[in-house]
Amino acid sequence: MPKHPRPLSPHLQVYRPQLTSVLSVFHRGTGGALSVASVILIYWLWAVSAGPQAYATAQGLLHSWFGVLVVVGISGSIFYHLCTGVRHLVWDTAHGLDIRSVYRSGGIALFIALLLTLAFWFVALWSVGLIQSLWKGVLS
């Protein structure tokens, strides 16, 4: 055994999280979440083809509070992964690689992903009449 053991590499606790590292980890995480989402989609498609009882079960799961939370999370993951994917495509053209542009594009990607998620759910809830009924309740 050597007298002076070699130092260990710094671990994650040593580094302060930066916007760039957090967005990178989140991009990878949403990619993994979308893989799980594809399994949920396959289950739902199977339920559609399996008949009314299987479809009703799947709809019941997806319309539960947890199912709605998962579906909203999936939609947010889709839009975030899309926006940061476009950001990476821009980087592949060797544009926006200076630190100021990287931080700006990260903030823009977050903002647009949030905006797209909110717009998607507004349109989805509007199309089934939920927003109109909520608005009538507020006005009355």
Side-chain angles (χ1 to χ4, degrees):
M1 185 91 176
K3 283 185 170 183
H4 302 287
R6 296 177 61 187
L8 298 174
S9 295
H11 200 266
L12 291 175
Q13 292 89 355
V14 175
Y15 296 109
R16 207 178 56 169
Q18 299 175 352
L19 180 66
T20 53
S21 63
V22 171
L23 293 179
S24 176
V25 168
F26 200 52
H27 178 79
R28 293 165 197 253
T30 56
L34 293 175
S35 297
V36 173
S38 67
V39 173
I40 295 170
L41 176 63
I42 290 168
Y43 165 70
W44 183 80
L45 290 171
W46 169 83
V48 168
S49 67
Q53 187 174 1
Y55 179 72
T57 302
Q59 287 297 90
L61 288 171
L62 292 175
H63 285 99
S64 68
W65 70 269
F66 184 72
V68 169
L69 185 67
V70 167
V71 171
V72 169
I74 289 169
S75 66
S77 293
I78 288 170
F79 291 122
Y80 177 78
H81 206 75
L82 171 73
C83 291
T84 54
V86 169
R87 182 176 176 228
H88 281 269
L89 288 174
V90 171
W91 287 347
D92 288 343
T93 66
H95 289 88
L97 295 174
D98 59 287
I99 196 69
R100 185 170 179 223
S101 296
V102 168
Y103 274 82
R104 186 181 319 129
S105 66
I108 290 170
L110 275 172
F111 178 74
I112 291 175
L114 180 64
L115 192 67
L116 286 171
T117 303
L118 292 174
F120 172 80
W121 282 105
F122 180 82
V123 170
L125 295 175
W126 183 275
S127 69
V128 296
L130 188 59
I131 291 179
Q132 294 90 328
S133 64
L134 288 174
W135 188 250
K136 286 178 188 174
V138 169
L139 293 178
S140 60

